[in-house]
Amino acid sequence: MQTNESGEDGLTNRLAALVKKMKENEELRQEYMAMNLHDYDMIRKGRKEGAVEVARNMLKKNYPTSDIADITGLPLDEVLALKQQMATETATA
């Protein structure tokens, strides 16, 4: 694609105008922000689920709960609750 010497062409100008128009549209900005927040929440949820899975595996291998909390980043009380839950599941199985 060829452009003129100033580095701008019709496509560049149209894209710049479209970006400017979208930035000025408050409704689109709000939707964009909502999408970003949703994505962030999903990422955070996935990380939490991963940490819980790692904690479960470590509990199965009898790692100390304080080490599990340090390694996974989960609060110690949550690791202890998970340990209790797993013990209950095992007892009822």
Side-chain angles (χ1 to χ4, degrees):
M1 179 167 121
Q2 290 185 341
T3 61
N4 61 21
E5 289 185 21
S6 67
E8 295 181 5
D9 63 11
L11 177 61
T12 303
N13 290 336
R14 288 192 310 268
L15 287 173
L18 182 59
V19 168
K20 182 179 179 189
K21 181 179 178 182
M22 293 184 79
K23 283 182 178 180
E24 293 171 352
N25 185 322
E26 188 61 30
E27 184 179 343
L28 286 176
R29 288 174 55 107
Q30 292 297 322
E31 286 180 28
Y32 179 77
M33 294 293 288
M35 285 189 307
N36 283 341
L37 288 174
H38 174 73
D39 290 349
Y40 178 75
D41 287 343
M42 295 304 292
I43 290 168
R44 189 174 58 209
K45 181 181 176 187
R47 286 182 179 159
K48 171 81 180 224
E49 289 172 356
V52 169
E53 182 179 346
V54 169
R56 282 182 166 278
N57 290 332
M58 293 177 78
L59 286 166
K60 289 176 185 175
K61 298 212 180 259
N62 297 315
Y63 277 79
T65 54
S66 59
D67 288 350
I68 296 171
D70 288 341
I71 291 168
T72 62
L74 295 172
L76 181 58
D77 61 333
E78 194 170 329
V79 174
L80 293 170
L82 183 60
K83 183 177 183 177
Q84 181 62 42
Q85 176 189 354
M86 289 174 65
T88 303
E89 290 170 358
T90 303
T92 60

